[in-house]
Amino acid sequence: MVAKYQQIADDLQSKIKKQEYPTGSMIPPESKLREIYQVSRYTIRQAIGVLVDKGYLRAEKGAGTYVLDPDVPLAQKATKTIGVMTTYLSDYIFPTIIESIEEVLRSKGYALLLSATHNDPIQEEACLQAMIAQGVDGLLIEPTSSNLYNANIAYYAKIKESGLPILFLNAYYDMLDIPYVSLDDSSAGELATRYLIENGHTEIGLLTKLDDLQGKLRMKGYVRAHEAENITFTADNIATFTTKDQKEVVKAYADSLVASDSAPTAVVCYNDEVASQLIRQLQKHHYTVPKDLSIVSHDNSYLAKVYQLTSVVHPQRKLGQYAAEQLIQCIEKQKPLQSKEFSAELKIRSSVENRS
């Protein structure tokens, strides 16, 4: 049996094709459609969502839902707006990335539609639907929980098939053939680990995130650096966490370092936020960095400066500018999007003790 929302979508689509709702006009408001079809608001929104995805409608917040020309490919229905989704909007590396994207878009006459998923697939789906409904010309997206499967992958595949340009930021879903712009995270993890080895550390821990692809790739670099130097590492020195249990795992890791008689002398941290959390936990035990523990982290954020962390530099501004420029060239010149990984560089500060 065909779902009610699909029946309504089919009926509306038929009316659009028959020009009962001409191109450029507005369909009746939700309240009127609920009265016509005798269904809930949710069912009406589902039906409208189907037609938005198919390129028959465009919803404009606060204005209404407009009829588009169904014979014009979705990617050609220009609104001069780019959708930008990140996992977070907090004062970390994201504001600089967003700012650099916006600078490029503004210079080219484009507006930016911004949202955050909080690394939650359910919120990611809602953000995607909202942006498609707004009729954006392209998407710049930091994928949510990029190292895990989620149902939105099918949605992304559908967007790609529609011809709407999409470019991933910082990470990607490796089961999808969609271009991305990121730091070379595997080389970043290797660079961080090698620096510790060069400073005489052979017992090196790792504290990394595993629901995001960056964490897995940085672990790969950690392993590669040990193998290159023929140094063994133990599972006891490695701790992994997810978005939901990060604080708890960092605290437990700090407690284990203090309690162990054979604790590592240095740790590679997933990013500066994790490193700063680890330092604060260690300070409760009167441990200091780098005297009691050396640390190298990733991102070179403001936290790296506050805690004087040696940290892999994240190409925030370059990444944002490059991504925006690539997307606009794709939209305006039909230039194919291509993946790019920025080389890893290390900013040296005082968080590593030389034990050579």
Side-chain angles (χ1 to χ4, degrees), residues 79-86 89 97-98 101-102 105 110-117 127-142 156 159 164-169 320 323-324 327-328 331:
T79 61
K80 298 290 282 186
T81 301
I82 301 299
V84 178
M85 282 170 49
T86 63
L89 298 176
I97 294 173
I98 294 165
I101 290 172
E102 188 173 24
L105 296 182
Y110 285 78
L112 179 150
L113 183 62
L114 181 64
S115 64
T117 67
C127 290
L128 278 172
Q129 290 177 343
M131 287 189 172
I132 297 299
Q134 291 288 327
V136 295
D137 294 338
L139 292 165
L140 296 173
I141 296 178
E142 181 183 36
Y156 280 118
I159 292 171
L164 185 70
I166 179 171
L167 186 64
F168 285 137
L169 305 173
L327 193 65
I328 289 174
I331 294 167

Side-chain angles (χ1 to χ4, degrees), residues 26-45:
M26 292 175 61
I27 64 170
E30 282 184 8
S31 58
K32 183 64 176 177
L33 291 173
R34 288 175 62 192
E35 181 181 328
I36 293 171
Y37 294 105
Q38 292 296 295
V39 294
S40 68
R41 176 181 296 176
Y42 178 70
T43 301
I44 292 298
R45 289 183 175 178

